[in-house]
Amino acid sequence: MDHDPLHDFELLIRSRYGALLIETAEEDRAESLVESAAWRLQVPVFVWRRATGLRRKGAPSGIYGTQDPKTALDHVVSSDMAALYLFHGLGPELEKPEVADLLREAAHRLAGRSGALVLTGAGVRLPESLRSVVGPVRLPLPVHEDYEGLQARVVQDLSARMGIEVTLTPSDQDRLLANLQGLTLAEAEKLLTRLIVEDGRLDANDIERAVEAKRTLVEQDGLLEYQPSAQSLEGIADLTRLKEWLGKRRRFMEDPQGAAAFGLEFPRGVLLVGVPGCGKSLCAKAVAAAWSLPLVKLDPGALYDKYIGETEQNFRKAMGSAERVAPLVLWIDEIEKAFAAGGGDEDGGVSQRVLGSFLSWLQERRGDVFVVATANDVMQLPPEMLRKGRWDELFFVDLPNETERQVIWNLVIARYQREPNDFDTVQLAKTTEGLTGSEIE
């Protein structure tokens, strides 16, 4: 359960934190939180932006000369007023020692008079000198009800200016709102407005368009790669138990609100281990197609960086991006190459730290991310990765038997636009004993 950010905000101030960090790109939501806290604490609010400088909330203009961050912080240090000073976009300036020192001094001054300096921004990196004086405030992501209210407001506002036809069924409505999950309210508002304005309608076709619009968010950091969905599960020979397992959980995708009301959680993921070339990777693509979810691939090699700390930060960014654009299927191919058991000595422990972060994320992730990981050699995986709770199920993919090979021959022949009945697939299946599906193709 998410904590109440307003309660956390007040608690940190009462704990004599003179500086707080709200790590979010949603300036409006952060400002609303600060204003609510100021009303409870009965103190004024000052807002700093580089363009306007430091300005008291409600005042017609800013304080002269405070566009420069050092001058603005100097003003906070010299002021005797108990207040909340909200600084938008100060993060990059914190790399300068003189700015960090001024912020530290301002935090000490404000801690003694029930005030605070509040930083906002996405990906703010605090220098070591500030980590002990800056308290974190987590702003929870919008929930289903927030997006539902936003959609109603966007439709109402646009209806006053143009004719709009809304033909979403309750199921379509749930799927559309689920695909807005992870977006900020500002991003969701822009997307909904664009979907409606383009054709004057809001219907089931807009669900796929919403998924496509999130593609740019997936690829912007270069750590996740958007993958086109493959054929459905029917195009894969055998794997009967896996298909049955996935088929039952497809009902969650069709009615997420009903499943949640019943007490079911979004599926976590599966680990597919077995012989190379027997369809493990194809399954990952087919799951996304069967569930009508976007498919993104994590290349563990793209995470590793030569600079200290950058690899771990890349991992956090990749997982954060996946959660932002959820629901989706996250495909990690040949996972044993990234998290092999016993590794890490030759890289200074980086791989072990990333493994620890990955295992924690598998257990505690917040977004609706279904992970499909494949492994050719299960013996290389650390034992802690195989335990239940991190994966819903583990499946072994073996060489196809004679019946399965005949199905594979039929599928492959049809894929090449030939008629399977023109071939003796029974004899072909017998003569290809020991071959994988890839080798048959």
Side-chain angles (χ1 to χ4, degrees):
M1 180 178 297
D2 287 323
H3 294 289
D4 177 7
L6 183 56
H7 174 267
D8 292 346
F9 194 103
E10 291 185 88
L11 182 62
L12 287 169
I13 290 180
R14 292 197 177 99
S15 302
R16 298 179 66 82
Y17 274 93
L20 306 177
L21 170 61
I22 307 175
E23 188 164 350
T24 177
E26 297 182 272
E27 291 188 359
D28 291 342
R29 291 185 71 201
E31 200 160 317
S32 176
L33 173 62
V34 172
E35 289 177 7
S36 298
W39 182 83
R40 289 197 186 185
L41 297 168
Q42 294 297 295
V43 295
V45 175
F46 289 80
V47 180
W48 180 87
R49 289 184 174 87
R50 187 178 294 276
T52 58
L54 196 62
R55 181 172 66 181
R56 182 166 180 163
K57 197 71 176 177
S61 59
I63 300 171
Y64 179 76
T66 54
Q67 287 89 344
D68 178 70
K70 290 189 291 184
T71 306
L73 289 170
D74 269 329
H75 178 86
V76 175
V77 170
S78 60
S79 175
D80 294 328
M81 182 182 298
L84 296 181
Y85 296 90
L86 177 60
F87 279 70
H88 291 300
L90 189 64
E93 298 289 335
L94 299 179
E95 297 178 2
K96 301 176 181 177
E98 61 273 21
V99 173
D101 290 343
L102 278 171
L103 192 149
R104 185 180 178 87
E105 180 64 24
H108 284 311
R109 298 286 183 94
L110 290 166
R113 50 178 187 257
S114 297
L117 191 150
V118 185
L119 305 173
T120 71
V124 176
R125 300 180 65 178
L126 295 174
E128 190 66 36
S129 62
L130 293 178
R131 292 178 185 174
S132 62
V133 299
V134 179
V137 179
R138 185 160 58 89
L139 196 61
L141 290 172
V143 295
H144 182 89
E145 290 74 16
D146 296 324
Y147 294 117
E148 190 172 27
L150 172 66
Q151 179 189 324
R153 187 169 69 253
V154 169
V155 170
Q156 182 179 6
D157 291 345
L158 292 177
S159 296
R161 291 182 282 159
M162 59 183 289
I164 296 175
E165 184 179 1
V166 180
T167 59
L168 293 171
T169 65
S171 176
D172 291 337
Q173 168 85 356
D174 286 342
R175 290 177 60 205
L176 176 62
L177 296 179
N179 278 292
L180 295 179
Q181 179 182 322
L183 298 178
T184 66
L185 291 179
E187 291 170 337
E189 182 176 5
K190 292 176 182 177
L191 176 56
L192 283 170
T193 302
R194 191 180 81 188
L195 293 177
I196 296 173
V197 169
E198 281 181 349
D199 58 6
R201 296 169 56 87
L202 191 61
D203 54 26
N205 293 327
D206 290 317
I207 298 173
E208 293 301 322
R209 294 163 64 195
V211 172
E212 184 64 24
K214 296 173 78 172
R215 174 174 179 171
T216 55
L217 292 176
V218 172
E219 297 180 332
Q220 63 186 1
D221 292 325
L223 300 173
L224 297 176
E225 180 184 355
Y226 187 93
Q227 295 281 319
S229 297
Q231 57 193 326
S232 66
L233 289 171
E234 288 72 23
I236 301 176
D238 192 43
L239 301 178
T240 305
R241 289 184 56 233
L242 174 61
K243 291 179 183 177
E244 291 177 353
W245 191 93
L246 294 170
K248 292 177 181 178
R249 283 148 186 83
R250 179 176 181 173
R251 298 173 64 185
F252 192 107
M253 312 304 157
E254 296 171 345
D255 185 14
Q257 292 304 305
F262 192 73
L264 299 177
E265 295 183 349
F266 190 88
R268 290 180 173 273
V270 294
L271 177 60
L272 307 178
V273 299
V275 181
C278 288
K280 298 188 298 296
S281 299
L282 185 60
C283 279
K285 299 179 180 180
V287 169
W291 285 358
S292 299
L293 292 178
L295 174 69
V296 298
K297 182 179 179 181
L298 170 66
D299 179 9
L303 299 177
Y304 287 86
D305 194 283
K306 64 181 179 180
Y307 297 108
I308 296 175
E310 287 296 323
T311 299
E312 295 89 329
Q313 184 181 359
N314 285 341
F315 174 79
R316 289 191 293 270
K317 287 170 63 177
M319 297 303 99
S321 296
E323 290 181 346
R324 267 173 53 80
V325 297
L328 56 77
V329 175
L330 177 64
W331 172 28
I332 308 177
D333 200 21
E334 298 185 351
I335 193 172
E336 74 273 19
K337 293 184 178 178
F339 306 119
D345 295 336
E346 63 279 358
D347 62 4
V350 172
S351 59
Q352 291 301 300
R353 292 195 296 272
V354 174
L355 171 62
S357 298
F358 179 66
L359 294 177
S360 297
W361 179 81
L362 281 177
Q363 193 79 25
E364 308 294 341
R365 62 184 179 272
R366 297 167 58 205
D368 291 341
V369 180
F370 184 80
V371 182
V372 180
T374 68
N376 295 327
D377 186 359
V378 70
M379 299 301 294
Q380 291 189 34
L381 292 174
E384 57 268 33
M385 182 173 284
L386 301 178
R387 79 170 180 82
K388 284 291 186 73
R390 296 195 168 107
W391 309 99
D392 290 321
E393 196 58 82
L394 280 69
F395 292 92
F396 179 73
V397 183
D398 203 353
L399 288 171
N401 58 33
E402 184 175 327
T403 302
E404 294 157 3
R405 291 196 300 274
Q406 185 177 353
V407 174
I408 293 172
W409 274 109
N410 284 321
L411 292 171
V412 171
I413 292 170
R415 194 178 305 157
Y416 285 92
Q417 300 179 2
R418 300 294 188 273
E419 177 54 52
N421 291 332
D422 294 341
F423 296 81
D424 188 352
T425 55
V426 175
Q427 183 61 31
L428 287 170
K430 290 180 179 180
T431 58
T432 51
E433 181 179 359
L435 297 188
T436 67
S438 296
E439 290 169 334
I440 289 174
E441 183 172 6

